[in-house]
Amino acid sequence: MNNRQLTKFAIYAIAVLCAALINEFVIKLVKKQIHEQGYLLVLIDMLIVVLIFAPAFALVSKYTKKLSKAYLKTSKKVSSSKNGNLLGFTVAMIILFILFAYLRHNINVVQDLKTII
């Protein structure tokens, strides 16, 4: 893969992960507000995805891709080397990992790292 293909992959991966993280955050907010369990909650979750997130996904991914692209360009300039995209992608993936662990699995990575150190 050449550098352009790797950059496109990095932008796409960050955009998809950000969109999934936003979806998870909103679903958790809805679950806190609606005190139903079982099949009704499943239907409510499905309705949220269809009515709100399906039309908005293109909009969110468009802006997330632009933000990701700007972030990767900035990280390339800051590092002033050919590995700037790799550095920016790595930092973004670490941040997304921490957020996914916290939102989806209730794991506080920062606290765990403090305990280890």
Side-chain angles (χ1 to χ4, degrees):
M1 284 182 135
N2 63 22
N3 196 24
R4 178 175 280 195
Q5 289 173 327
L6 287 173
T7 302
K8 283 184 180 182
F9 171 77
I11 291 168
Y12 181 75
I14 292 169
V16 168
L17 290 172
C18 286
L21 201 59
I22 292 168
N23 183 33
E24 183 72 23
F25 179 74
V26 172
I27 293 295
K28 281 193 175 233
L29 285 177
V30 168
K31 286 181 180 179
K32 285 181 183 178
Q33 300 298 321
I34 299 174
H35 303 289
E36 295 292 330
Q37 293 296 323
Y39 297 117
L40 184 57
L41 185 60
V42 173
L43 287 173
I44 291 169
D45 286 348
M46 290 173 66
L47 283 173
I48 290 169
V49 170
V50 171
L51 296 176
I52 297 171
F53 292 108
F57 182 74
L59 182 65
V60 169
S61 65
K62 176 183 173 184
Y63 288 115
T64 308
K65 281 184 181 180
K66 285 182 180 182
L67 184 66
S68 301
K69 193 172 187 176
Y71 171 75
L72 288 172
K73 281 185 178 180
T74 303
S75 65
K76 189 174 183 179
K77 288 178 185 176
V78 168
S79 71
S80 69
S81 72
K82 291 184 178 184
N83 293 329
N85 281 345
L86 179 62
L87 175 67
F89 179 69
T90 303
V91 170
M93 292 305 289
I94 290 169
I95 292 169
L96 287 168
F97 180 85
I98 292 168
L99 293 172
F100 264 83
Y102 183 74
L103 276 176
R104 288 190 166 200
H105 303 283
N106 295 322
I107 299 172
N108 192 334
V109 176
V110 176
Q111 187 64 35
D112 290 345
L113 287 174
K114 285 180 183 177
T115 308
I116 292 172
I117 297 173

